[in-house]
Amino acid sequence: MSLHFLHPNYLWFLFILLIPIIIHLFNFKHYKKIFFSNLRFLQDLNTENKRKSKLKNLLVLLLRILALSCIIIAFSQPYIPISGENLSNKSNELINIYLDNSFSMNGKTEKGKALEVAKNHAFELIKSLPDYAKIRIYSNDIQHYSTSLNKNQAIARIQKIAPSPNSLKLSKTLANIRLDSPFEKAQVYVLSDFQKSQADLEKLQKDSLLNVDFIHLQLQATNNLVLDSCWFEKPIHFTGPQKELSVKISNHSNKDLKNIPIQLTVNDSLKTVGSIDINKNSSQITKLRYSDRQSGFVQAKLSIEDYPIIYDNTLYFSYRTNNVNSILSINQKSENQYINKLFASDKNFKIKNINKTQLHNETFSEFQLIVLNEIEGIESGFKQSLQTYLQNGGSVLFIPNEQIKASVNLFLSDVLAPNYLEIDSTQQRISRLETKTNLYQGVFQDLKDNARLPDIYKFYKLSTPSNPTLESIWLTAGSEKLFTKIQYGKGQLYQFSMNLNGEWTNLITHPILVPTLINLSKTSTNSGKIYHQIGKNNTIELISSFNSNIDEQFHIKNDQIGIDIIPLKINSSNHSTQLRIVDQLRLSENYVVTLNDSILQTCSFNYPRNESEISYYEKLEIETKIKALDENYSVISSKKMKLSKFYNEKREGRQYWRIFILLALTFFLTEGILKSLKS
């Protein structure tokens, strides 16, 4: 491989070497004559000295020429390009530096915290760049650029980089860099711990305009205990009854852990403390039981103790407790007096009756149960609102009308529920009752075979859709379905095949109707998410209805930590209001939604857990995975190579000017020693 010069014009100074040659040629010595009686011995000695002196002068001349030559060559900065091409002219090349600032970079290396080590490497690299360099600094928060930075701006940008809950895939990062400079040759330095959940090396592609160097930061081995998630099996919240919170904890270590304490804090008061045993490299689910004594907003926090990775030791969640169950009865004509009488007599329930023509004024998400009382038809807007309500976890009870339009069965088909067919006027009786269904949990201690169940005078025959969630709760002796349930989204749709008036059935006078309708109102899970994940585009649906002016702004805030953001307001199809949060919240905490300083709702946000599993690529693994990507990709060990030196070698090849300086000093030293010797 040929030798190149960064400053070849300096080689013209080699003509200076003529000066010592000329001095040597014209350096004539004048001899003084001294007369002796016998010169034979002096003549022999003089001949020998002249030969030695001439040889010595020639050696001195040669050493001076070599020394000056080495100095001139050193100033021209000789190098051999690593890739075989002349890399000395790189004024148009973009220098892109990506610092992985995900939470895993809080881990320790031999030189300290990984993120701080990466920032120091980046400072060192930037200082070694030429002043004309065009620089772009990327992180998990800074994903795109329209202009480049100078050296001072780049250093200032790096100083501001802090640990982030965002975790960006490596392939996405390189795609963003290519998108920002589609037609320019770009040099990319990736400083990361190369956690396997983030570094999708198998998705990297060849790119002739992209040179990528991976600076691998080797983290020290550590263990991690993770509060993974939590949920309610029955997410309907009332004051008084004991509730059960399921908590999943993961042990990412090679040792079993015993008696790990878990604390549950509710509204800043310690509610309960539990403990759990977790085997190595496994997960465990534990249950915490407690009661809410007061209605209203609840902001809760789960916590464990674990070090050094602490961002996943806390899990925030929130919800709202109610004193009463709210039920909405949508009537085709008149109200259902039997349902009214049942719920009006119990202070734990509140029923609201509306005519179908008043739908535009209602927010379905406020109610735990919606009764479709003898509805003849379901128009498209109404159908969409019902589907959204069901998908979000609501419960719907359908009581058929004497006349049913095709739009009703169209809605039922869309949610994979049984369709209403012809009316059967043959008198039947409920002969089979599914007591093991969740609807009757805790209702029956023992149902005798000869128990007198309601009579059915006429009923709609129901089709059998191909829906695995279909559950027949009441059946006739001939297996005709009288009362069914299907799952749609997170919600449930219940269907009677008969009307509730006396011409259809004596059900209204039978004791089975009371626990059926009461438990129906308690099956709703339409209470919204108990927490959201930071880094995603989250939508919060407001449960309560209200009227707001266009100029009035919703706020999501936490006054204790000084955060107040304005989300994007969206009006949904079911007359509710949704708030869209686009990467605006960065801190795991409990928050409140306000309008005109009035609290409307609570919401909670937690850091994602995808970086909690501490699994990283080793340097050799990275080299193996990128082997097929040719010379465009390479791996550097941050603890074995100084990054500025590596950049200079990548930019200008392996440099040899230091060698020529050492040679020049050697030649001058040799000349001095030679001149000090006696002739």
Side-chain angles (χ1 to χ4, degrees):
M1 197 173 290
S2 60
L3 191 69
H4 293 258
F5 296 92
L6 185 61
H7 304 293
N9 291 335
Y10 289 178
L11 295 176
W12 289 104
F13 286 96
L14 288 174
F15 285 110
I16 295 176
L17 299 178
L18 293 174
I19 295 174
I21 296 174
I22 293 172
I23 292 173
H24 177 78
L25 292 176
F26 293 93
N27 186 18
F28 302 109
K29 290 185 179 180
H30 299 281
Y31 298 99
K32 183 178 181 181
K33 291 183 180 182
I34 300 175
F35 296 95
F36 287 89
S37 59
N38 191 341
L39 300 177
R40 183 169 60 87
F41 296 106
L42 289 175
Q43 286 176 344
D44 293 338
L45 181 61
N46 186 42
T47 301
E48 184 178 354
N49 287 339
K50 280 184 177 181
R51 290 174 184 168
K52 290 181 179 180
S53 179
K54 187 176 182 181
L55 178 61
K56 181 180 176 180
N57 289 336
L58 287 173
L59 288 173
V60 170
L61 175 63
L62 179 62
L63 290 170
R64 287 177 179 174
I65 291 173
L66 289 174
L68 289 173
S69 299
C70 288
I71 292 173
I72 294 169
I73 293 172
F75 274 101
S76 64
Q77 295 192 23
Y79 69 95
I80 295 178
I82 291 176
S83 60
E85 61 175 327
N86 191 334
L87 302 176
S88 60
N89 185 15
K90 288 214 158 188
S91 59
N92 294 323
E93 185 183 44
L94 274 173
I95 304 298
N96 302 276
I97 302 174
Y98 165 67
L99 271 80
D100 177 10
N101 62 327
S102 59
F103 278 143
S104 67
M105 290 287 283
N106 284 327
K108 299 287 186 179
T109 69
E110 291 181 355
K111 297 181 180 179
K113 189 178 290 187
L115 181 58
E116 295 305 317
V117 173
K119 291 167 75 171
N120 289 335
H121 282 315
F123 292 147
E124 173 193 331
L125 173 59
I126 291 171
K127 290 175 183 177
S128 70
L129 298 176
D131 292 336
Y132 56 75
K134 297 187 293 183
I135 309 168
R136 290 176 179 172
I137 306 298
Y138 292 85
S139 70
N140 293 339
D141 304 314
I142 309 169
Q143 299 179 13
H144 283 289
Y145 269 100
S146 57
T147 58
S148 301
L149 308 174
N150 59 35
K151 292 173 66 172
N152 291 333
Q153 291 171 331
I155 289 173
R157 183 65 57 84
I158 290 173
Q159 288 173 334
K160 294 179 181 179
I161 293 177
S164 168
N166 292 337
S167 180
L168 198 64
K169 294 291 186 182
L170 181 58
S171 59
K172 178 65 175 176
T173 298
L174 295 179
N176 289 342
I177 293 173
R178 167 51 63 230
L179 193 64
D180 289 345
S181 51
F183 306 112
E184 297 178 90
K185 190 172 182 66
Q187 173 66 49
V188 183
Y189 294 94
V190 176
L191 295 100
S192 174
D193 56 6
F194 292 92
Q195 190 175 32
K196 290 183 178 179
S197 61
Q198 179 197 18
D200 52 345
L201 300 172
E202 64 282 350
K203 293 186 178 181
L204 301 183
Q205 298 178 349
K206 293 182 181 180
D207 191 334
S208 59
L209 293 178
L210 207 63
N211 288 319
V212 183
D213 292 305
F214 296 142
I215 293 87
H216 180 254
L217 298 163
Q218 182 71 50
L219 297 189
Q220 295 175 345
T222 186
N223 299 322
N224 191 24
L225 193 63
V226 185
L227 257 175
D228 203 310
S229 56
C230 70
W231 65 92
F232 292 100
E233 295 290 351
K234 296 180 179 179
I236 183 166
H237 307 288
F238 292 102
T239 56
Q242 193 174 67
K243 60 184 60 184
E244 190 174 79
L245 177 69
S246 298
V247 183
K248 181 181 178 183
I249 301 178
S250 299
N251 177 14
H252 297 299
S253 71
N254 293 320
K255 62 178 181 179
D256 298 339
L257 299 176
K258 303 292 183 182
N259 297 320
I260 302 300
I262 313 164
Q263 287 189 347
L264 172 62
T265 303
V266 176
N267 291 336
D268 296 326
S269 297
L270 182 63
K271 197 72 173 179
T272 184
V273 177
S275 64
I276 188 172
D277 298 336
I278 316 176
N279 294 331
K280 60 183 179 182
N281 298 314
S282 66
S283 299
Q284 188 75 26
I285 296 175
T286 187
K287 310 244 184 222
L288 299 178
R289 294 175 178 83
Y290 69 101
S291 300
D292 291 315
R293 299 302 178 188
Q294 295 180 337
S295 63
F297 298 115
V298 174
Q299 293 186 319
K301 179 178 72 171
L302 286 163
S303 56
I304 58 174
E305 292 293 332
D306 180 46
Y307 187 82
I309 301 175
I310 61 173
Y311 81 92
D312 50 17
N313 293 352
T314 305
L315 197 64
Y316 295 91
F317 64 97
S318 56
Y319 55 90
R320 184 174 183 173
T321 59
N322 300 303
N323 284 325
V324 296
N325 261 7
S326 296
I327 299 160
L328 176 66
S329 180
I330 303 174
N331 309 305
Q332 182 70 38
K333 294 180 180 177
S334 59
E335 299 177 6
N336 192 308
Q337 57 178 321
Y338 307 109
I339 294 178
N340 281 351
K341 188 178 295 185
L342 171 65
F343 290 118
S345 62
D346 193 330
K347 64 179 181 179
N348 293 319
F349 296 92
K350 181 176 68 175
I351 186 167
K352 180 178 182 179
N353 283 276
I354 64 167
N355 192 276
K356 200 178 77 166
T357 57
Q358 301 173 297
L359 281 173
H360 60 279
N361 295 324
E362 295 303 324
T363 302
F364 287 175
S365 57
E366 293 182 16
F367 301 95
Q368 281 75 54
L369 174 66
I370 293 178
V371 179
L372 303 180
N373 180 40
E374 302 183 31
I375 297 297
E376 291 181 0
I378 298 178
E379 294 74 19
S380 59
F382 186 17
K383 180 178 74 170
Q384 182 62 47
S385 297
L386 286 173
Q387 287 178 326
T388 302
Y389 175 75
L390 285 167
Q391 286 172 339
N392 292 336
S395 293
V396 175
L397 172 63
F398 196 100
I399 302 173
N401 194 302
E402 188 88 37
Q403 303 292 328
I404 290 181
K405 295 181 180 179
S407 59
V408 169
N409 282 334
L410 181 61
F411 161 69
L412 295 173
S413 296
D414 286 348
V415 297
L416 298 179
N419 283 10
Y420 288 102
L421 305 177
E422 71 277 4
I423 295 176
D424 189 336
S425 298
T426 306
Q427 183 171 337
Q428 302 280 349
R429 177 177 294 172
I430 299 175
S431 63
R432 240 186 322 158
L433 190 148
E434 185 57 62
T435 59
K436 294 182 180 180
T437 183
N438 290 336
L439 187 64
Y440 293 133
Q441 189 174 11
V443 173
F444 299 106
Q445 290 183 348
D446 182 26
L447 184 64
K448 296 180 179 180
D449 293 337
N450 60 352
R452 179 78 180 186
L453 295 174
D455 293 320
I456 310 297
Y457 307 134
K458 61 179 179 178
F459 64 95
Y460 277 100
K461 289 191 173 183
L462 297 177
S463 66
T464 304
S466 56
N467 187 343
T469 70
L470 175 63
E471 188 177 350
S472 298
I473 302 174
W474 297 347
L475 291 167
T476 67
S479 297
E480 294 288 352
K481 296 181 286 293
L482 299 174
F483 182 39
T484 64
K485 166 194 168 185
I486 63 107
Q487 188 83 23
Y488 183 75
K490 297 178 182 178
Q492 302 87 29
L493 172 65
Y494 296 88
Q495 287 177 258
F496 282 137
S497 65
M498 78 296 293
N499 202 298
L500 293 185
N501 63 52
E503 296 178 2
W504 289 67
T505 178
N506 66 352
L507 180 63
I508 54 176
T509 61
H510 197 280
I512 191 66
L513 184 62
V514 174
T516 299
L517 293 179
I518 288 177
N519 286 348
L520 267 176
S521 68
K522 295 181 179 180
T523 61
S524 173
T525 60
N526 190 41
S527 56
K529 290 183 177 181
I530 60 174
Y531 63 83
H532 303 267
Q533 190 178 105
I534 291 174
K536 292 186 175 181
N537 292 337
N538 293 292
T539 300
I540 298 174
E541 183 169 354
L542 299 184
I543 297 174
S544 302
S545 62
F546 50 87
N547 296 318
S548 63
N549 298 325
I550 297 177
D551 296 333
E552 292 178 328
Q553 296 285 357
F554 291 93
H555 291 255
I556 296 178
K557 60 184 180 178
N558 182 316
D559 291 333
Q560 291 182 346
I561 58 177
I563 291 179
D564 186 343
I565 68 164
I566 299 176
L568 178 65
K569 177 184 174 183
I570 301 172
N571 291 319
S572 67
S573 59
N574 64 341
H575 312 295
S576 66
T577 299
Q578 295 179 344
L579 304 179
R580 181 73 53 82
I581 302 167
V582 185
D583 197 27
Q584 293 168 280
L585 289 174
R586 309 301 303 279
L587 191 62
S588 175
E589 257 293 353
N590 287 317
Y591 297 87
V592 293
V593 181
T594 66
L595 179 67
N596 296 328
D597 294 327
S598 297
I599 297 177
L600 305 177
Q601 200 165 311
T602 57
C603 57
S604 300
F605 287 82
N606 290 295
Y607 297 128
R609 275 13 185 194
N610 54 331
E611 295 223 2
S612 295
E613 186 176 353
I614 47 178
S615 179
Y616 309 95
Y617 284 115
E618 297 292 335
K619 183 173 179 288
L620 290 176
E621 291 181 283
I622 301 173
E623 290 173 340
T624 301
K625 285 187 171 289
I626 65 173
K627 193 173 183 180
L629 298 174
D630 297 333
E631 296 180 353
N632 286 8
Y633 290 80
S634 63
V635 188
I636 312 166
S637 175
S638 65
K639 62 183 180 181
K640 290 185 178 180
M641 177 175 280
K642 194 173 182 181
L643 199 56
S644 58
K645 177 182 177 183
F646 176 82
Y647 166 75
N648 288 328
E649 288 193 354
K650 282 290 283 187
R651 178 178 179 270
E652 297 159 0
R654 290 194 173 89
Q655 300 182 29
Y656 296 97
W657 62 270
R658 294 180 181 85
I659 295 176
F660 283 93
I661 291 293
L662 289 174
L663 287 173
L665 292 173
T666 302
F667 292 141
F668 280 129
L669 182 60
T670 305
E671 178 194 352
I673 295 173
L674 188 62
K675 289 174 68 175
S676 66
L677 295 177
K678 293 183 178 179
S679 301

